[in-house]
Amino acid sequence: MMKISTIRNLLLILAINVMFFASSQLHAQEVSRSDTALNGAISTFVQNVLTDDTAEFNQFVKAMMVAMTFIGIAWYVIGWALKKYDVGTLVVYLISCFVIWAFYANYNEALSDLWGWSDSIGLGIQEQATGTDDKLFVVNKLMETIGRFFLDDISILDGLLAITGMLFFTVITLILKVVVFIASQWSIWGYAFCKIIGLVFLPLVLWPVTRSVFTNWFQMFLGFWFFNLFIKVGLTLYYIYFNAIFGVVDGPVSFNPVADHIAIMRINLHMLVGIMFLISLGALSGMMAQGFGGAVSATSRSMSNTSKDAAKVITQFIAKI
């Protein structure tokens, strides 16, 4: 059995290899290939699940939808018989069942459109700042600009400060490239994951006992939705920041670790800011998703109360007739 320390060392070696691979191989084309391939494959998979009646997963999801609908109706009918719920609550639930089944029938298109809003908003902001809404533009430009900074060769006699600056520059450049690449991919992977498992969690919204589980899934989906938006805006902001600090870098820029150690430290700090900022967007998107989930719950309760009041008025009016 492998020791934890051995596994940790293997993961460290793997991480170093990934960073060195990123130094020479990560380009916007990699982002484009994985983004397009994953998005298309997931949409096709989900559509097949929804349309192929012979697939076990399709049958499982449909069985859950039917079962949860009957359980939910029985729950509210029994509650109404025991005077726990009024007629208005029962009517609101039946209407919500139609809405949920309609959403299920158009699940693939609905989530794709919802995700598309995140892309449209983020790319709209990018277009305003850069003049193009090409989703690969900012990632490509950042990769190219970072890759154009070089350090001259040095020897051990050049001093500890020069050697430290060179090593730090090499490591932080690799880390920034990896962070930019992973950040640009993280949201689409999260979207794909949520889209697949959402078919399992959607039926749970039909029964009040399990509704909170669906709410947790929806908040997770919103977390990736906000991250997709934030990372597009964040990368655009960092692109503007980078250009403001260094100007337009059209060709290779070399630095002497001895003579230019101040400039190298300056570049390192600016790259470190980018790394910390992009990483922090994950936490910010999670906070937004939680807050939005609470707002959705409050709105849902408010709409439910309003519908119940309206149903009471209608019931009283019919009774008088």
Side-chain angles (χ1 to χ4, degrees):
M1 193 171 186
M2 296 182 69
K3 295 182 178 179
I4 295 179
S5 59
T6 304
I7 297 175
R8 184 174 62 245
N9 292 335
L10 290 174
L11 291 175
L12 180 60
I13 294 172
L14 178 61
I16 293 173
N17 288 331
V18 167
M19 287 193 294
F20 275 102
F21 169 80
S23 175
S24 58
Q25 299 296 327
L26 292 185
H27 302 288
Q29 288 77 10
E30 297 292 335
V31 178
S32 176
R33 267 197 299 271
S34 53
D35 192 331
T36 304
L38 184 59
N39 201 357
I42 295 304
S43 293
T44 302
F45 170 77
V46 172
Q47 191 61 35
N48 289 340
V49 168
L50 294 172
T51 56
D52 186 3
D53 293 331
T54 61
E56 291 186 8
F57 190 40
N58 177 292
Q59 295 173 359
F60 170 75
V61 174
K62 280 188 176 179
M64 281 192 65
M65 288 289 294
V66 172
M68 285 297 180
T69 300
F70 278 109
I71 291 173
I73 292 174
W75 177 275
Y76 279 99
V77 169
I78 293 173
W80 170 74
L82 296 175
K83 300 188 182 300
K84 182 179 179 182
Y85 301 121
D86 54 20
V87 176
T89 302
L90 183 59
V91 171
V92 169
Y93 176 74
L94 293 175
I95 294 174
S96 67
C97 285
F98 284 107
V99 173
I100 294 166
W101 271 94
F103 179 79
Y104 167 71
N106 300 277
Y107 176 82
N108 190 30
E109 295 82 0
L111 280 191
S112 295
D113 290 342
L114 183 58
W115 189 258
W117 294 348
S118 177
D119 277 336
S120 298
I121 297 171
L123 293 176
I125 295 173
Q126 175 190 305
E127 183 179 16
Q128 190 69 30
T130 64
T132 177
D133 62 353
D134 182 1
K135 66 172 60 177
L136 304 179
F137 176 80
V138 172
V139 176
N140 189 29
K141 287 296 182 181
L142 283 174
M143 291 289 191
E144 288 179 358
T145 302
I146 297 169
R148 284 171 177 164
F149 291 124
F150 296 95
L151 297 182
D152 297 334
D153 294 334
I154 62 173
S155 69
I156 197 171
L157 301 177
D158 288 321
L160 182 61
L161 183 62
I163 295 174
T164 303
M166 183 194 71
L167 291 175
F168 191 65
F169 174 86
T170 303
V171 171
I172 204 168
T173 300
L174 297 178
I175 293 175
L176 180 57
K177 283 188 175 184
V178 172
V179 168
V180 169
F181 180 79
I182 292 178
S184 64
Q185 290 291 284
W186 193 256
S187 58
I188 187 64
W189 275 86
Y191 162 65
F193 176 74
C194 289
K195 195 171 187 178
I196 292 175
I197 65 171
L199 289 168
V200 177
F201 290 103
L202 179 60
L204 302 181
V205 75
L206 290 162
W207 188 24
V209 175
T210 57
R211 190 168 294 159
S212 61
V213 181
F214 170 82
T215 302
N216 291 335
W217 167 84
F218 187 63
Q219 286 186 351
M220 180 173 63
F221 174 81
L222 284 178
F224 287 110
W225 191 95
F226 279 113
F227 185 76
N228 185 52
L229 170 61
F230 288 175
I231 199 62
K232 285 178 171 55
V233 178
L235 287 172
T236 301
L237 176 61
Y238 190 63
Y239 169 75
I240 297 172
Y241 170 80
F242 213 81
N243 283 346
I245 296 297
F246 300 106
V248 179
V249 182
D250 293 326
V253 179
S254 62
F255 295 93
N256 186 291
V258 178
D260 302 322
H261 66 275
I262 299 298
I264 294 172
M265 290 176 60
R266 179 167 163 258
I267 294 174
N268 290 339
L269 289 175
H270 289 307
M271 289 185 178
L272 184 61
V273 168
I275 292 170
M276 296 177 66
F277 174 68
L278 293 176
I279 291 175
S280 69
L281 293 179
L284 293 176
S285 60
M287 292 170 56
M288 286 295 296
Q290 290 179 358
F292 193 84
V296 169
S297 298
T299 304
S300 177
R301 288 194 297 270
S302 177
M303 292 177 63
S304 177
N305 292 334
T306 302
S307 300
K308 285 189 285 187
D309 293 339
K312 286 181 181 179
V313 172
I314 295 173
T315 301
Q316 292 172 359
F317 178 75
I318 294 175
K320 291 180 180 180
I321 296 176

